[in-house]
Amino acid sequence: MIPIPRFALPHSIALYAPSKTDAWERETERPAGTEIRYVRMEPSSHLVTDTQNRKIQLSALLFYDCTNSTPRGIVWKQGQQVLFRGQRFTVQTVEPLYSAQTLHHYEIGLI
């Protein structure tokens, strides 16, 4: 399967790790964001189930191609923050998709 072409990945985002909080649940540290280029953001209305079996409606889907998106090798985790055009989203689901035996792209559900 061929990679998702760059012309189909027109967006850039900033990725932030979850902020650290103290014993009183106040933010103590917000790490700097990593710019990620050549991704695709699509509005979404999919319903997903979280770890506590609650239904959550996604706001957007983020497509990250393992060949054309840069930088490569991003580790996606639930709880990370994504900034896109001034709007902040939280990573809710991470779905790795494979072609044969190799990782092709990720579909990341955002709320």
Side-chain angles (χ1 to χ4, degrees):
M1 184 184 280
I2 63 169
I4 299 171
R6 278 203 175 172
F7 70 83
L9 302 167
H11 303 122
S12 294
I13 61 165
L15 177 66
Y16 296 86
S19 60
K20 298 184 189 234
T21 57
D22 61 14
W24 294 278
E25 299 295 321
R26 292 181 300 201
E27 283 190 6
T28 57
E29 181 182 334
R30 179 161 297 276
T34 302
E35 183 186 13
I36 301 176
R37 297 174 52 205
Y38 307 112
V39 296
R40 182 171 197 87
M41 288 285 286
E42 290 287 335
S44 176
S45 59
H46 293 303
L47 285 175
V48 295
T49 305
D50 69 0
T51 56
Q52 296 166 347
N53 212 21
R54 294 179 296 188
K55 297 281 185 193
I56 296 174
Q57 184 170 354
L58 298 178
S59 299
L61 273 176
L62 171 67
F63 295 88
Y64 173 88
D65 185 69
C66 292
T67 301
N68 285 324
S69 297
T70 60
R72 290 185 185 168
I74 297 292
V75 177
W76 296 96
K77 297 178 187 169
Q78 187 176 15
Q80 291 172 315
Q81 300 286 309
V82 170
L83 183 65
F84 176 66
R85 295 185 179 164
Q87 188 173 2
R88 192 172 289 273
F89 298 91
T90 302
V91 173
Q92 182 65 34
T93 61
V94 178
E95 187 175 354
L97 297 168
Y98 292 83
S99 67
Q101 299 294 335
T102 60
L103 184 58
H104 185 264
H105 71 279
Y106 287 96
E107 290 184 13
I108 296 115
L110 305 172
I111 54 172

